């Protein structure tokens, strides 16, 4: 049996995991695809670096083009990251008829539709399961498992680093900076962890999930994004006291054909299954018109979970290669995109205000909510022994984003409100 030759771009956290699985499970993998799988060339930045796995130095190169242009190579596994240059490598590899496996959400969120269109033209596979929720087969689930349904809502903890940070802050009272460093040391964070903590990584993943779930081209610019860098221990404590857990949640939903996609720190009611997803674990909750509620759970980052998805994609591409049916499964979105406006986007809110502790303040505040048509679920005023102001904690019923913006703008101009301390979306 002629071996299938694979070219690897990148041998860092994920690449090393891919080598381990391909070597460690070779017998099982080759029996599934009907021939040995050989990683025959690997591009790295620094070929002198010591790695956690043994690699024959003869197959290392510092020039990715050596891998892309090798006529012996059938499939390219891209686990090096980067966007513009990496896109050029992938488009050229497709031009040569090579199949692509990638873990790169930055690339797929920005150029997925162009890459998939090229793949279809060239009858090649482009699989990217590891790009969203590392070890969870959520992309395959949306493409295949729910092909028959109409997805109405996708809600996800899709960034392992931030869930790890929020969990440690919440359960151990750890400091934000210390936990971020730990997440970096464990290989969870992106090379620039700003994209994790500021929500961009999650936004890219939600753009990918939204595109698949709603079959329309959700772009990164369509996702409203807020990260966790401003979340304080006090906010987390408040959430807990009220029966919520603080999570960085990606939410994509549709009413009729109008959709909205966002990523923000969210207070999730403890009884919702996604509230108990902790540490580096991810979960994606999918609500389909016919199927109802479903949820998928697993490690969202780290070498071996992520490599599991990469190698499963590799197996799928090689099986297709044997059957001569590559390029059939690309989901190229076909629906016209209709984004909800701020009047149509509705959710519950938590608001924490520091206000003057004097008569009539509460009335001014509740009056503002009434003026802008926001109905309230609860209002609690707490005296604060250490400060001259009182704390007011408000939870609204579902309110439009437009109305809430008007309320908050009005609060900025109210003298009795010292500070709008925090505002969070509430789910569940
Ligand atoms: N880490 C994780 O848990 C997850 C990561 N991903 C994605 O997988 C991809 C890889 O992530 P990860 O393994 O963590 O990243 P690492 O930084 O650990 O590894 C990147 C690898 O690519 C090589 N590399 C980078 N730039 C070049 C270049 N220009 N030419 C040749 N080689 C290059 C590096 O070489 P050298 O080793 O010599 O520096 C390194 O081996 C990213 O797209 C990431 O977003 C997806 C899901 C989970
Ligand atoms: N940095 C990412 C890695 C996986 O995509 C995360 O923390 O989830
Ligand atoms: Na996945």
């Amino acid at each position: 049996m002629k071996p299938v030759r694979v070219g690897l771009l990148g041998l860092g956290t994920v690449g090393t995991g891919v080598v381990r699985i391909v070597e460690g499970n070779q017998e099982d993998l080759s029996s599934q695809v009907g021939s040995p799988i050989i990683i025959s060339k690997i591009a790295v930045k620094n070929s002198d670096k010591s790695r956690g796995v043994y690699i024959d130095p003869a197959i290392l190169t510092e020039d990715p083009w050596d891998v892309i242009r090798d006529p012996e190579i059938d499939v390219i596994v891209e686990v090096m990251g980067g966007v513009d240059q990496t896109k050029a490598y992938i488009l050229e590899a497709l031009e040569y008829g090579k199949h692509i496996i990638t873990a790169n959400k930055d690339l797929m969120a920005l150029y997925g539709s162009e890459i998939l269109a090229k793949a279809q033209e060239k009858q090649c596979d482009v699989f990217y399961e590891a790009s969203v929720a590392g070890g969870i087969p959520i992309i395959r689930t949306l493409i295949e498992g729910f092909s028959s349904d109409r997805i109405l809502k996708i809600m996800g903890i899709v960034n392992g680093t931030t869930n790890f940070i929020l969990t440690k802050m919440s359960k151990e009272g750890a400091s934000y900076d210390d936990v971020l460093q730990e997440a970096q040391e464990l290989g969870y964070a992106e090379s620039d962890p700003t994209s994790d903590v500021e929500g961009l990584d999650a936004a890219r993943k939600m753009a990918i999930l939204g595109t698949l779930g709603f079959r329309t081209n959700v772009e990164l610019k369509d996702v409203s994004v807020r990260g966790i860098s401003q979340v304080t221990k006090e906010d987390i404590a408040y959430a807990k006291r009220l029966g919520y857990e603080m999570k960085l949640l990606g939410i994509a939903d549709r009413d009729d054909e109008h959709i909205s996609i966002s990523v923000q720190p969210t207070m999730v009611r403890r009884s919702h299954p996604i509230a108990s997803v902790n540490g580096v674990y991810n979960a994606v909750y999918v609500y389909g018109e016919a199927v109802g509620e479903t949820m998928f759970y697993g490690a969202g980052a780290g070498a071996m979970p992520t490599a599991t998805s990469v190698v499963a994609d590799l197996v799928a591409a090689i099986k297709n290669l044997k059957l001569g049916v590559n390029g059939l499964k690309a989901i190229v979105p076909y629906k016209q995109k209709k984004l909800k406006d701020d009047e149509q986007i509705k959710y519950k809110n938590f608001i924490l205000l520091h206000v003057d502790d004097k008569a009539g303040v509460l009335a001014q505040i509740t009056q503002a909510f009434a003026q802008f048509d926001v109905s309230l679920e609860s209002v609690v005023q707490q005296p604060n022994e250490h400060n001259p102001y009182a704390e007011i904690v408000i939870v609204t019923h579902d309110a439009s984003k437009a109305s809430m913006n008007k309320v908050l703008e009005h609060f900025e101009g109210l003298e009795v409100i010292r500070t709008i301390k925090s505002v969070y979306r509430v789910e569940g």
Side-chain angles (χ1 to χ4, degrees):
M1 285 173 296
K2 186 171 166 277
V4 174
R5 292 185 187 278
V6 177
L8 194 56
L9 301 180
L11 188 58
T13 303
V14 183
T16 308
V18 169
V19 170
R20 286 212 173 97
I21 293 182
V22 169
E23 286 179 355
N25 297 355
Q26 181 62 223
E27 189 186 346
D28 195 33
L29 296 174
S30 52
S31 82
Q32 290 182 64
V33 302
S35 54
I37 300 173
I38 294 179
I39 297 176
S40 59
K41 212 166 263 179
I42 305 177
V44 291
K45 225 189 250 175
N46 174 4
S47 53
D48 295 328
K49 206 192 240 180
S50 70
R51 318 261 161 194
V53 286
Y54 171 75
I55 301 290
D56 176 358
I59 69 166
L60 285 179
T61 171
E62 291 181 359
D63 183 2
W65 289 118
D66 287 346
V67 181
I68 303 297
R69 292 179 177 151
D70 183 336
E72 300 280 298
I73 286 175
D74 307 295
V75 188
I76 301 286
V77 172
E78 186 278 298
V79 285
M80 72 179 192
V83 177
D84 292 313
Q85 187 56 50
T86 309
K87 176 188 164 205
Y89 295 140
I90 285 183
L91 288 178
E92 184 147 339
L94 288 169
E95 203 55 58
Y96 297 138
K98 297 185 196 306
H99 311 290
I100 308 292
I101 314 301
T102 179
N104 192 331
K105 56 265 168 171
D106 310 26
L107 179 73
M108 291 309 288
L110 280 174
Y111 298 115
S113 52
E114 185 181 339
I115 289 170
L116 293 172
K118 183 71 162 177
Q120 225 169 32
E121 179 197 325
K122 294 287 166 186
Q123 287 293 286
C124 288
D125 284 334
V126 172
F127 292 151
Y128 48 104
E129 183 60 77
S131 69
V132 181
I136 309 174
I138 187 62
I139 290 184
R140 194 158 283 123
T141 298
L142 286 175
I143 294 176
E144 294 176 15
F146 292 140
S147 59
S148 54
D149 205 355
R150 191 166 170 275
I151 304 302
L152 299 179
K153 186 166 187 175
I154 302 172
M155 207 156 68
I157 294 175
V158 288
N159 182 269
T161 303
T162 46
N163 205 43
F164 183 77
I165 294 173
L166 290 174
T167 303
K168 288 242 173 181
M169 283 173 78
S170 167
K171 303 231 179 286
E172 297 169 18
S175 86
Y176 174 89
D177 290 327
D178 286 350
V179 197
L180 173 58
Q181 198 184 335
E182 199 182 338
Q184 285 177 287
E185 284 161 9
L186 288 165
Y188 302 154
E190 297 302 302
S191 49
D192 175 5
T194 321
S195 67
D196 293 294
V197 296
E198 294 305 346
L200 194 57
D201 178 79
R204 289 169 175 145
K205 292 164 174 169
M206 289 309 296
I208 294 171
L209 293 183
T211 298
L212 293 170
F214 303 146
R215 310 200 205 296
T216 188
N217 185 26
V218 177
E219 296 167 90
L220 195 53
K221 66 178 171 55
D222 303 327
V223 186
S224 84
V225 190
R226 179 180 157 202
I228 65 159
S229 58
Q230 307 300 318
V231 176
T232 63
K233 281 188 195 173
E234 291 70 38
D235 293 336
I236 292 175
Y238 252 117
K240 279 177 143 179
R241 224 180 300 161
L242 294 174
Y244 297 101
E245 296 293 340
M246 187 74 82
K247 297 290 173 196
L248 183 70
L249 217 57
I251 302 175
D253 59 20
R254 83 165 147 189
D255 292 302
D256 299 324
E257 284 313 313
H258 287 87
I259 62 169
S260 78
I261 308 99
S262 62
V263 169
Q264 62 278 296
T266 304
M267 289 188 176
V268 186
R269 193 173 288 285
R270 209 167 284 136
S271 56
H272 194 287
I274 216 161
S276 56
V277 174
N278 289 318
V280 72
Y281 282 91
N282 280 191
V284 184
Y285 165 98
V286 182
Y287 187 89
E289 197 170 61
V291 74
E293 291 186 299
T294 62
M295 198 167 99
F296 305 86
Y297 171 83
M304 301 312 280
T306 309
T308 304
S309 291
V310 172
V311 180
D313 277 351
L314 181 60
V315 167
I318 298 173
K319 281 182 178 168
N320 287 348
L321 191 64
K322 301 280 168 159
L323 294 169
V325 293
N326 298 94
L328 296 183
K329 283 205 304 202
I331 296 290
V332 180
Y334 72 96
K335 277 197 179 167
Q336 197 203 341
K337 184 167 59 191
K338 292 182 192 160
L339 292 172
K340 288 185 190 177
D341 61 27
D342 283 358
E343 295 288 349
Q344 293 168 304
I345 299 175
K346 292 186 175 150
Y347 49 84
K348 286 167 72 163
N349 298 268
F350 163 96
I351 303 129
L352 172 60
L353 302 173
H354 284 179
V355 302
D356 287 342
D357 197 1
K358 60 185 189 194
V361 173
L362 208 51
Q364 286 188 57
I365 289 168
T366 51
Q367 201 183 2
F369 282 106
Q371 183 184 341
F372 297 109
D373 201 26
V374 175
S375 131
L376 302 181
E377 182 182 287
S378 66
V379 183
V380 180
Q381 174 166 352
Q382 318 218 357
N384 190 321
E385 296 163 6
H386 309 294
N387 293 301
Y389 51 76
E391 289 188 334
I392 297 198
V393 179
I394 300 152
V395 179
T396 71
H397 286 298
D398 277 350
S400 77
K401 194 172 171 183
S403 294
M404 273 307 300
N405 286 343
K406 284 181 203 155
V407 170
L408 294 172
E409 202 180 308
H410 182 82
F411 282 174
E412 297 283 356
L414 275 188
E415 252 176 45
V416 293
I417 295 182
R418 300 283 185 95
T419 329
I420 303 171
K421 281 297 284 180
S422 334
V423 180
Y424 290 105
R425 181 166 178 162
V426 174
E427 276 291 321

